[in-house]
Amino acid sequence: NDQMQQIKDQKQKINNQLNASEENNQNLQQKLNQMEKDVINLKKNLDDKTYEMQNLLQSQQQKEFESSRQLMEFNLKINKGTQSFNELQKAKQQELDDANNQIDELKRVITKQVNEIQVINQQITFREQQAQLQAQVAKNILNEKEAQIDELNDKIKENEKRRVQLENLQKVQELSLIHI
């Protein structure tokens, strides 16, 4: 009778362990599901950032191209201005002064354009570095989440093994009960 009670107690203990193991498995599965959702969101955010940075880069390149085109136009103008200057040397001093003023103005505009191009280049470089940093951060988070998912999967496998062992133990206990 004592032996029967011991076996019943052991069976109850095993059942309790099985229930705890099942509950633990469910909790781990919920965590895993949440992490998988997080990974999907992180991937989407990374894609959105990449798309946004590509658009930004394209826009900056367009501005740089436009500035370069204007610079070429101003170079043509300064060449024409220099030509006029040479012809006007033979003419009145006042006309010579006008040509000098025109060249000075064109030089100022060209300097301004060159400065704008440099600023645009700096902005592009900065934004590229920002995009790389953001991508690296997102990649690191992604790697971390994937490692956590692997860890959770390992825990679930361990729990599954434990559950199978407990079920086997339960069967042995039941067989023992039958023999008694």
Side-chain angles (χ1 to χ4, degrees), residues 158-169:
E158 273 302 312
N159 278 339
E160 186 58 25
K161 269 194 227 168
R162 180 79 184 124
R163 189 183 64 75
V164 169
Q165 285 173 347
L166 286 171
E167 280 176 356
N168 288 339
L169 192 60

Side-chain angles (χ1 to χ4, degrees), residues 5-15 173:
Q5 188 57 46
Q6 275 183 340
I7 288 169
K8 279 182 183 176
D9 289 350
Q10 278 184 325
K11 188 177 177 183
Q12 185 57 48
K13 194 174 173 183
I14 288 167
N15 278 335
Q173 289 294 332

Side-chain angles (χ1 to χ4, degrees), residues 2-179:
D2 271 1
Q3 200 178 358
M4 278 287 280
Q5 188 57 46
Q6 275 183 340
I7 288 169
K8 279 182 183 176
D9 289 350
Q10 278 184 325
K11 188 177 177 183
Q12 185 57 48
K13 194 174 173 183
I14 288 167
N15 278 335
N16 291 347
Q17 286 178 328
L18 266 175
N19 290 340
S21 173
E22 187 58 39
E23 195 178 322
N24 193 10
N25 265 353
Q26 284 173 0
N27 289 342
L28 287 171
Q29 190 62 49
Q30 282 174 354
K31 281 183 187 174
L32 179 64
N33 291 345
Q34 186 54 48
M35 282 189 161
E36 282 171 347
K37 282 181 193 168
D38 290 350
V39 166
I40 288 166
N41 286 338
L42 281 167
K43 282 182 179 170
K44 186 188 179 301
N45 288 344
L46 182 59
D47 290 344
D48 290 349
K49 283 276 179 227
T50 304
Y51 179 75
E52 185 182 314
M53 292 316 292
Q54 282 172 341
N55 285 344
L56 202 66
L57 188 61
Q58 206 173 358
S59 161
Q60 292 295 342
Q61 285 170 339
Q62 190 59 43
K63 285 180 189 170
E64 187 183 5
F65 173 80
E66 184 58 22
S67 296
S68 297
R69 190 188 62 73
Q70 288 176 353
L71 187 61
M72 281 170 66
E73 281 179 15
F74 284 121
N75 275 330
L76 285 173
K77 284 183 185 176
I78 203 170
N79 288 342
K80 284 180 184 175
T82 305
Q83 211 174 356
S84 300
F85 169 78
N86 290 335
E87 289 165 8
L88 288 168
Q89 249 180 345
K90 300 166 194 166
K92 300 173 193 171
Q93 188 60 46
Q94 184 57 50
E95 288 172 349
L96 186 62
D97 290 344
D98 289 347
N100 275 326
N101 290 341
Q102 188 184 3
I103 286 168
D104 288 342
E105 182 55 28
L106 285 169
K107 281 180 179 174
R108 274 195 295 277
V109 171
I110 285 169
T111 302
K112 188 181 167 197
Q113 288 291 318
V114 167
N115 290 340
E116 282 175 6
I117 286 171
Q118 285 173 343
V119 167
I120 286 168
N121 280 335
Q122 286 167 353
Q123 286 174 343
I124 288 170
T125 303
F126 174 73
R127 292 217 166 89
E128 280 175 339
Q129 287 168 348
Q130 245 185 345
Q132 285 170 352
L133 276 176
Q134 287 171 340
Q136 189 57 50
V137 167
K139 196 175 171 186
N140 289 346
I141 291 170
L142 206 63
N143 289 341
E144 194 179 305
K145 291 285 182 193
E146 283 171 351
Q148 287 173 350
I149 285 170
D150 289 344
E151 197 177 305
L152 281 173
N153 279 327
D154 288 345
K155 281 183 183 177
I156 286 170
K157 282 178 194 168
E158 273 302 312
N159 278 339
E160 186 58 25
K161 269 194 227 168
R162 180 79 184 124
R163 189 183 64 75
V164 169
Q165 285 173 347
L166 286 171
E167 280 176 356
N168 288 339
L169 192 60
Q170 190 180 27
K171 284 175 189 169
V172 168
Q173 289 294 332
E174 282 168 3
L175 284 174
S176 296
L177 271 174
I178 291 166
H179 285 298

